[in-house]
């Protein structure tokens, strides 16, 4: 059986504050789709030894992978598998990351507004993700 190399994972706990007082939701809102995030296993976490924290590009925790997925992902990281992750987007009370094992950068799913289901029926792969325009010329402002 071949292990899945790329998948979308929910990040939960974004409405809880970090121990240092930083705001997880605000940090998630500042993180752009496609930005690299760090997955950090926390084997000494007092609530769950399988916990995997998700850290923004600025070094601020956004939340945790779900308890259902954390043992699988944390185990693969602990075994030394090469992993990379990017922020995918926000939807409701969760954020989403795209993870790739085995080298290379994760690819964000392509979405189209015409094929998009109603908001209450969306899955992580249906997220409407904003892609900013390239930086334009300097306007001297």
């Amino acid at each position: 059986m071949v292990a899945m190399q790329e998948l979308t994972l929910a990040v939960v706990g974004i409405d809880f504050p970090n121990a240092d007082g930083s705001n997880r939701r605000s940090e998630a809102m500042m993180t752009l789709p496609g930005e690299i995030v760090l997955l950090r296993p926390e084997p000494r976490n007092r609530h769950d030894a399988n916990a995997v924290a998700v850290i923004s590009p600025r070094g601020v925790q956004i939340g945790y992978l779900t308890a259902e997925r954390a043992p699988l992902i944390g185990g693969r990281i602990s075994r030394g598998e090469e992993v990379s992750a990017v922020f995918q987007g926000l939807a409701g009370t969760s954020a989403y990351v795209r993870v790739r094992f085995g080298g290379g950068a994760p690819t964000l799913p392509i979405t189209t507004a015409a094929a998009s289901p109603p908001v209450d029926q969306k899955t992580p792969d249906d997220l409407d993700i904003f892609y900013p325009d390239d930086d334009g010329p300097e306007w001297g402002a």
Side-chain angles (χ1 to χ4, degrees), residues 70 78 126 132:
S78 295
D126 296 324

Side-chain angles (χ1 to χ4, degrees), residues 8 31-35 86-91 95-98 107-113 116 122-133:
T8 294
T31 305
L32 297 174
E35 282 192 291
V86 296
F87 189 76
Q88 184 171 327
L90 277 169
Y96 294 89
V97 294
R98 188 78 173 168
T107 56
L108 293 174
I110 298 172
T111 61
T112 61
S116 185
K122 288 191 179 203
T123 66
D125 287 335
D126 296 324
L127 294 175
D128 294 323
I129 298 177
F130 172 74
Y131 290 95
D133 292 332

Side-chain angles (χ1 to χ4, degrees), residues 13-125:
I14 65 172
D15 289 318
F16 289 94
N18 287 320
D20 64 3
S22 57
N23 187 299
R24 292 178 184 177
R25 180 171 286 278
S26 291
E27 188 63 25
M29 291 173 70
M30 290 188 297
T31 305
L32 297 174
E35 282 192 291
I36 295 171
V37 294
L38 173 68
L39 302 179
R40 185 179 65 206
E42 293 185 350
R44 294 190 176 146
N45 184 300
R46 67 182 188 163
H47 300 290
D48 183 358
N50 293 311
V52 177
V54 179
I55 311 298
S56 79
R58 288 161 294 285
V60 177
Q61 183 176 350
I62 295 172
Y64 288 95
L65 297 182
T66 63
E68 294 81 17
R69 293 293 189 183
L72 168 70
I73 303 305
R76 291 182 76 172
I77 292 169
S78 295
R79 287 191 299 275
E81 289 190 49
E82 187 176 355
V83 62
S84 56
V86 296
F87 189 76
Q88 184 171 327
L90 277 169
T93 60
S94 295
Y96 294 89
V97 294
R98 188 78 173 168
V99 177
R100 182 177 180 88
F101 287 95
T107 56
L108 293 174
I110 298 172
T111 61
T112 61
S116 185
V119 173
D120 60 341
Q121 296 176 9
K122 288 191 179 203
T123 66
D125 287 335

